[in-house]
Amino acid sequence: MKKRGFGIGCMSYGIGNTGLPNPAGAFVDFLDDGTVIVLTGCADIGQGSSTILAQIAAETLGVAFEDVVVVAGDTGVTPDAGATSASRQTYISGNAVFEAARKARQEVIAGAAAVLGVPPEEINLKNGRVWHGEEPTSLSIKEVISKCRSEGILTLGHGWFNPATTRLDPATGQGIPYATYAFATQVAEVEVDTETGIVEVKRIVAAHDVGRAINPQNVEGQIESGCSMGIGYALLEEVVVKEGEIQNPAFSTYLMPTAMDVPEVYPIIVEELEPTGPYGAKGVGEPALVPTAAAITNAVADALGLRFYDLPLTPERVVAEIKKSREKKEDDGQ
Amino acid sequence: MAAFHLEMKVNGELVAVDIDPGMRLLDVLREVLHLTGTKEGCGEGECGACSVILDGELVDSCLVMAPQAYGKEVVTIEGVAALGQLHPLQEAFIEAGAVQCGFCTPGMILAAKVLLDHNPNPDRQEIARAISGNLCRCTGYSKIIKAVEIAASRIKAEAGAASD
Ligand code: FES
Ligand code: FES
């Protein structure tokens, strides 16, 4: 028989570890032609940090995204940005790039103020142009850069960010461990075959508070992939170790989800702006995976009326639990 | 060991190379022809990162001995863009955000191409099945499936416009 169930999983997850120093640095420089180069130690492993850092620099400097080149994760030339881990790079390297870009922006504004003969506080940079108050002027940012260059003035900035290191109390382990938190709720719908024990995930709705979604398509991609990893964690993936040796070191024995195992995922982005984040952003990498297995396991419990305490929910485990509960019912004379 | 004289067509061009007959097609593509778009993931036919098209069929090039490709036609990811123009699948992958680390991408695109060559009108299930031999750890597959849907509808629209 096939039984359906729904389950919910909720989570909060710390972003920006404060127990130990956790800094990142960045350089931002305008080249002679008015394009921008960002140097960051932040390694983009596919999550899209280089795109996001380019967006932050472009927004801060008032130039087109296409005019920003990001040189990332090259220890020969880029400043340290710490690891791409702990869902920290958008928050931490994002702040470092924002700070570096803000300083370069001040240089450009000073140059523009000199050309226009107005106070720097009244100047804004937007859409490649210099603005005076709410009005665009005839002066482009590129013209300001070449003017500065002709006078030997460089328009660059460096920045770094470290969420205030607070250190935890060594005796109690108490303190303020993170600069901010991401929150999420996921709902899973499953179908369980009570004969074979196969659990099929039919749908996942995943609502994530990420602060500002600097690149919504990237955020969706992170959420969808987190759900897929969560499905693996809930149903498939188990490292079997015997006498110190991994017994299943191959994709045919350590199963991870294929396109056939992943249902439609409906990401919902909740933008609760984080005051200390770059443009209000936090992070989403790991949070996307955290609640999935709980939501699926709760959905299986809803379908079968049985609680599982070991993952993954392999067909063998599910069938064994169903059998155990049947036998128990018979023993109880039901 | 005597060298094996391998002749095959790769991305439309005739190739003749003398190789160690124990080489896999994957090695000839990457090491001899320097077509490094084809990736080696597992090396044992389980991940699909090394997928190429051999005489119209998707194969894991890590499981094909190079001499088996003699006289055949191989298409790698480098051969998918025609005359500097990206294939609709490649454009759709970029547009849909279907690429994260990119390691699975060449194989995914070739798997999807073989599907669309045979079935221009696939539903979600058929797409998922066609790429199910290609593992992706990064994307969760949603945007890849979306990209294939976008490409399928564009190819159909173009074919329709061409036949009008
Ligand atoms: S490298 Fe060939 S299938 Fe994994
Ligand atoms: S994009 Fe990284 S494995 Fe698919």
Side-chain angles (χ1 to χ4, degrees):
Chain A
M1 195 194 345
K2 294 208 172 173
K3 291 192 166 177
R4 289 230 171 190
F6 290 90
I8 299 180
C10 302
M11 69 108 228
S12 67
Y13 192 85
I15 308 273
N17 204 320
T18 52
L20 292 168
N22 188 13
F27 295 111
V28 168
D29 186 13
F30 271 99
L31 304 184
D32 292 5
D33 65 354
T35 61
V36 173
I37 187 157
V38 174
L39 297 181
T40 164
C42 171
D44 192 334
I45 53 173
Q47 83 281 24
S49 53
S50 291
T51 305
I52 281 161
L53 297 177
Q55 284 181 266
I56 290 172
E59 182 78 20
T60 310
L61 297 168
V63 302
F65 169 75
E66 291 76 11
D67 282 344
V68 180
V69 171
V70 176
V71 177
D74 179 344
T75 49
V77 294
T78 58
D80 186 20
T84 292
S85 67
S87 309
R88 63 188 279 283
Q89 288 292 19
T90 296
Y91 181 66
I92 294 185
S93 280
N95 266 326
V97 168
F98 175 72
E99 185 54 22
R102 203 181 55 78
K103 287 191 185 141
R105 174 191 162 90
Q106 280 170 354
E107 302 295 329
V108 180
I109 286 181
V115 175
L116 295 173
V118 298
E121 317 70 83
E122 292 173 14
I123 286 184
N124 201 356
L125 305 177
K126 235 169 35 186
N127 303 332
R129 297 221 80 78
V130 177
W131 291 52
H132 183 216
E134 295 303 304
E135 293 297 318
T137 69
S138 60
L139 192 62
S140 73
I141 294 175
K142 287 189 180 177
E143 284 162 346
V144 177
I145 301 300
S146 66
K147 176 88 183 11
C148 286
R149 283 297 195 278
S150 72
E151 292 166 11
I153 299 169
L154 295 185
T155 41
L156 48 78
H158 76 277
W160 59 276
F161 178 73
N162 179 51
T165 305
T166 56
R167 310 239 183 240
L168 303 182
D169 185 316
T172 63
Q174 298 295 302
I176 303 168
Y178 293 100
T180 180
Y181 291 84
F183 301 92
T185 295
Q186 296 185 0
V187 180
E189 180 183 4
V190 302
E191 192 173 85
V192 189
D193 187 318
T194 56
E195 302 306 316
T196 63
I198 290 174
V199 177
E200 200 186 323
V201 181
K202 298 304 237 183
R203 252 186 314 179
I204 295 181
V205 181
H208 285 258
D209 163 25
V210 300
R212 165 98 58 203
I214 289 180
N215 188 312
Q217 190 183 55
N218 264 6
V219 172
E220 281 174 19
Q222 294 289 294
I223 295 174
E224 289 157 0
S225 59
C227 289
S228 144
M229 290 187 192
I231 290 171
Y233 180 31
L235 303 179
L236 300 168
E237 298 180 39
E238 182 168 35
V239 178
V240 183
V241 182
K242 206 169 121 197
E243 288 168 13
E245 199 182 329
I246 293 175
Q247 302 296 303
N248 55 343
F251 290 125
S252 55
T253 47
Y254 177 94
L255 301 182
M256 57 166 273
T258 71
M260 301 282 287
D261 301 303
V262 175
E264 286 204 63
V265 174
Y266 301 87
I268 298 171
I269 298 173
V270 179
E271 292 187 290
E272 180 74 27
L273 301 194
E274 164 55 40
T276 65
Y279 293 100
K282 299 194 279 196
V284 68
E286 290 149 297
L289 154 68
V290 174
T292 314
I296 291 171
T297 311
N298 283 336
V300 171
D302 183 40
L304 298 178
L306 294 174
R307 280 273 157 208
F308 289 81
Y309 299 98
D310 286 304
L311 294 177
L313 305 182
T314 56
E316 292 85 350
R317 275 200 183 123
V318 172
V319 166
E321 263 328 295
I322 292 173
K323 195 158 158 250
K324 234 199 296 174
S325 87
R326 274 201 197 124
E327 284 166 4
K328 186 167 181 306
K329 274 187 195 146
E330 277 161 22
D331 286 352
D332 294 350
Q334 289 179 11
Chain B
M1 205 184 303
F4 180 85
H5 183 73
L6 174 62
E7 285 179 22
M8 59 181 176
K9 224 182 199 181
V10 177
N11 299 329
E13 280 181 41
L14 276 174
V15 169
V17 281
D18 290 317
I19 54 154
D20 176 339
M23 284 179 104
R24 305 170 299 174
L25 178 58
L26 172 64
D27 302 321
V28 172
L29 293 172
R30 286 183 58 88
E31 314 293 335
V32 181
L33 302 175
H34 304 298
L35 295 171
T36 51
T38 306
K39 305 298 178 202
E40 175 161 15
C42 63
E44 46 195 35
E46 295 175 350
C47 73
C50 65
S51 299
V52 300
I53 304 176
L54 187 66
D55 276 357
E57 297 292 333
L58 194 72
V59 296
D60 291 331
S61 64
C62 71
L63 294 186
V64 177
M65 297 311 289
Q68 291 179 285
Y70 189 91
K72 298 201 171 162
E73 176 149 14
V74 182
V75 178
T76 70
I77 189 65
E78 288 88 350
V80 172
L83 307 169
Q85 179 81 46
L86 289 184
H87 188 277
L89 273 165
Q90 292 171 307
E91 283 186 341
F93 266 62
I94 295 170
E95 220 176 284
V99 182
Q100 286 194 28
C101 80
F103 204 78
C104 70
T105 313
M108 283 289 180
I109 287 184
L110 293 170
K113 184 173 182 307
V114 171
L115 169 72
L116 297 185
D117 287 348
H118 290 110
N119 174 5
N121 237 340
D123 61 25
R124 193 175 197 279
Q125 195 63 23
E126 289 167 324
I127 296 170
R129 189 180 304 274
I131 62 168
S132 64
N134 295 74
L135 299 178
C136 175
R137 193 48 144 170
C138 302
T139 64
Y141 306 105
S142 295
K143 298 219 181 304
I144 293 178
I145 293 173
K146 179 104 235 244
V148 179
E149 287 170 345
I150 294 173
S153 70
R154 293 227 179 109
I155 292 169
K156 246 184 349 207
E158 273 169 37
S163 68
D164 280 349

